[in-house]
Amino acid sequence: ESLLFPAAIRRLVGAYGRRGADGLRAARLTQREAEVLRLMAAGLSNPEIAVRLVVGVETVKTHVGNVLAKLGVRDRTQAVIAAYESGFVVPAG
């Protein structure tokens, strides 16, 4: 699991702009998958997401896997970048 710092995300979004909104909409994430993606973008690990959502870590892993598959990305870092590029998640600060 790799995590990005919020400052790094802001730089990436600033450098590459907001692209991919159609791709994220086309992914048709469930409400829970969208929630997991937002928590991933906030920098939470799978165990932290599990605590926040009151589910097991294996359940979180399943949701993360579904998010990755639906977005067509290879890892959570790419998923988070896609979320920021699309405007699904907005950098704080």
Side-chain angles (χ1 to χ4, degrees), residues 12-90:
L12 284 169
V13 171
Y16 296 104
R18 296 195 185 281
R19 299 173 293 178
D22 292 335
L24 198 65
R25 274 195 295 277
R28 303 185 77 125
L29 299 178
T30 66
Q31 186 174 0
R32 183 61 94 175
E33 290 164 351
E35 189 173 12
V36 167
L37 179 55
R38 283 188 183 94
L39 294 172
M40 289 166 50
L44 275 64
S45 66
N46 287 351
E48 291 168 331
I49 294 171
V51 168
R52 180 78 58 94
L53 299 180
V54 192
V55 297
V57 174
E58 291 301 318
T59 300
V60 173
K61 288 180 182 179
T62 298
H63 290 309
V64 170
N66 291 341
V67 168
L68 299 182
K70 287 182 177 183
L71 293 180
V73 297
R74 79 171 166 261
D75 58 34
R76 64 192 294 134
T77 300
Q78 288 185 336
V80 169
I81 290 169
Y84 277 97
E85 285 181 339
S86 70
F88 180 76
V89 175
V90 179

